[in-house]
Amino acid sequence: MMASVLKPLRFGLSALLLTALAALAAMTTATSTQAASGAMWADQGGGQVIPEPFRAHASVASVNINYDDWSYILRSTVFDAGMSDRRAAPVPKPQPGRLIVKVNTSSTRLEGNRLHFPAFNDNNLKALSQIRREFEALPDAVPMAEWSKNQQLAYWLNLYNITVVEQLAIRYPEREIRKLMEKVRSKKLLRVAGVKLSLEDIHHDILIAKWQDPLVMYGLWQGYVGGPNILQTAFTANNVYELLKQNAVEFINSNRGARMRGDTLNIATLYRENLDLFPGGEQQLRAHLATYADAYYAGRIQAAREIDMTTSDYYIADLFEGVPKDVNPNASNSAALQTAMGGAEWSNFASTAIANGWGAIPPHVVDYVKEIRRKKAKRGGSVSVEEVASAPNQTPDETSGETPK
């Protein structure tokens, strides 16, 4: 086993601990009330066949799987943007001396966590790839039939997400990544227990087919702003459902996930891509959304006349917004960033960037962090899964005439 060297943004290459313990024990579719969405429901079909090595699971785990290296990377690189305040983000203004805006202009650009992609330089990217390969090899060491179902779920979500991070880091910098992610998801990038797998295979042929639980979709990071969050810790057997619920609450209570426009409920394209998780059709989808929505929104979701599954923001969920070196000589010097910003949200990024000689930080990143800090200060805390919220001061469809795109 190689020893971990835990230096700031220098990822350790330690092998994941896989310690054998004593072995203990071994779709229908519904018609939508809306004609347009009815066609989408009708297009969905089940019938996924789970690959044989991944079908069985143990009622009691006989292995212990440690994801400390992956958690370390996530803690070091994920910027927590906090809960949405349901306000449409203003369009960013050009920096002084410039006529154009290079970064995300979507009304949802201030929602959702961000990854510090510039941290994945040559050595860090090699370390990330090594850990991803170790993930792939785990079922070769101990067959998945000896893992509990929660262990398997955590494993597939971690493997999916680390692969997305790796593939985007290889291609970075990118900005609008819809087409790129379609290619990444469809390619057979992985081999697990002798089976070649794409991310789509993991999503549909394993996770949806085996779990049939809508919560699983919230653990699959898509790399863009308009999807569920990437979190600051790895999934484990013990925390997987707690974290999935946390992500469901954040996403559904954001304009990225669900937003009213008059009596129409605009929801993310994520739900159209996961209709197989709702064999009960639109009624089941509404019930799911209402379960995790705040009290004010839950009623509006159930009362909505129709559902439109077109809300999206395919801009890369990167702290630098895919523009890592756009340091404007006409803007103020960002070298004093640490002092100006302060706070736990920023400490992992500004201090590490300066310490490692990554250069000045672009003004648009400074502006983004300031906006997030203002939003958090106004909100005055985070929202838990159990919290029941009252009606906001301004309803989302009154805040702006713009639907998130």
Side-chain angles (χ1 to χ4, degrees):
M1 179 181 300
M2 299 180 68
S4 295
V5 180
L6 302 184
K7 297 180 180 179
L9 278 296
R10 298 286 194 267
F11 307 143
L13 293 180
S14 62
L16 298 174
L17 298 178
L18 186 63
T19 306
L21 306 174
L24 301 174
M27 230 141 298
T28 60
T29 18
T31 303
S32 170
T33 57
Q34 180 190 6
S37 64
M40 286 189 288
W41 291 107
D43 287 342
Q44 303 304 306
Q48 300 98 330
V49 178
I50 304 171
E52 192 280 330
F54 317 131
R55 294 176 193 170
H57 62 270
S59 57
V60 179
S62 62
V63 295
N64 179 47
I65 306 173
N66 184 314
Y67 295 105
D68 285 352
D69 284 347
W70 178 224
S71 280
Y72 174 78
I73 293 173
L74 294 170
R75 285 194 307 273
S76 301
T77 59
V78 174
F79 181 89
D80 181 1
M83 291 287 293
S84 168
D85 59 8
R86 289 272 189 203
R87 296 179 184 273
V91 176
K93 297 178 181 179
Q95 293 293 328
R98 296 191 172 180
L99 300 177
I100 62 173
V101 175
K102 292 185 178 182
V103 296
N104 191 356
T105 60
S106 166
S107 65
T108 59
R109 68 183 181 85
L110 298 180
E111 296 187 349
N113 292 350
R114 297 293 190 270
L115 194 67
H116 188 213
F117 270 104
F120 295 95
N121 57 19
D122 291 342
N123 290 332
N124 287 343
L125 181 56
K126 289 176 182 177
L128 183 75
S129 298
Q130 173 64 24
I131 294 170
R132 190 265 305 156
R133 288 191 291 270
E134 291 175 354
F135 281 17
E136 281 185 274
L138 290 178
D140 292 325
V142 176
M144 295 191 82
E146 299 181 31
W147 302 18
S148 72
K149 200 170 183 181
N150 278 13
Q151 285 180 321
Q152 292 184 14
L153 177 57
Y155 170 80
W156 290 118
L157 297 177
N158 288 329
L159 179 60
Y160 186 105
N161 291 344
I162 197 172
T163 304
V164 171
V165 173
E166 178 190 29
Q167 292 300 309
L168 290 178
I170 289 170
R171 295 162 174 82
Y172 188 80
E174 295 283 348
R175 285 185 271 180
E176 211 281 348
I177 61 169
R178 179 178 184 174
K179 292 183 179 179
L180 171 59
M181 281 305 301
E182 289 174 354
K183 294 178 181 178
V184 167
R185 289 194 298 256
S186 64
K187 192 173 182 179
K188 302 280 187 183
L189 297 169
L190 303 166
R191 182 185 291 272
V192 180
V195 180
K196 289 184 178 180
L197 295 171
S198 67
L199 295 178
E200 289 285 10
D201 294 333
I202 293 174
H203 181 180
H204 293 279
D205 296 344
I206 298 174
L207 289 171
I208 290 181
K210 185 162 185 173
W211 274 269
Q212 271 299 309
D213 185 340
L215 283 175
V216 300
M217 73 175 121
Y218 299 104
L220 299 173
W221 190 58
Q222 301 303 309
Y224 43 73
V225 173
N229 270 338
I230 188 168
L231 298 173
Q232 292 181 321
T233 189
F235 293 103
T236 68
N238 292 330
N239 71 19
V240 63
Y241 277 101
E242 176 187 351
L243 294 182
L244 290 175
K245 289 177 183 177
Q246 174 184 319
N247 253 12
V249 168
E250 188 283 328
F251 191 66
I252 292 169
N253 290 285
S254 75
N255 290 342
R256 298 172 1 264
R259 180 179 183 180
M260 293 299 303
R261 287 272 295 164
D263 57 2
T264 297
L265 176 63
N266 295 99
I267 62 175
T269 54
L270 172 80
Y271 296 103
R272 186 171 60 197
E273 296 161 1
N274 285 277
L275 288 182
D276 283 345
L277 288 169
F278 301 97
E282 186 176 310
Q283 183 177 1
Q284 184 184 359
L285 174 58
R286 285 178 187 260
H288 168 76
L289 295 170
T291 296
Y292 296 99
D294 65 37
Y296 174 75
Y297 239 71
R300 299 192 75 185
I301 287 170
Q302 294 288 23
R305 181 177 60 85
E306 60 183 12
I307 295 178
D308 180 12
M309 305 184 196
T310 58
T311 297
S312 59
D313 183 342
Y314 293 108
Y315 213 96
I316 189 169
D318 169 35
L319 182 65
F320 285 61
E321 301 191 59
V323 188
K325 297 181 179 179
D326 186 36
V327 180
N328 185 355
N330 297 308
S332 59
N333 189 346
S334 60
L337 194 56
Q338 272 184 278
T339 303
M341 301 306 300
E345 304 100 329
W346 188 248
S347 60
N348 282 338
F349 308 109
S351 59
T352 303
I354 294 170
N356 287 281
W358 292 344
I361 295 168
H364 67 268
V365 180
V366 181
D367 292 343
Y368 166 79
V369 176
K370 287 180 179 177
E371 290 285 350
I372 296 302
R373 295 197 69 200
R374 278 196 288 266
K375 180 185 74 171
K376 287 186 174 183
K378 282 185 178 181
R379 191 172 186 90
S382 60
V383 177
S384 67
V385 174
E386 293 80 12
E387 181 175 343
V388 177
S390 58
N393 294 328
Q394 289 180 295
T395 57
D397 45 323
E398 295 168 342
T399 306
S400 168
E402 179 185 359
T403 300
K405 295 179 180 179

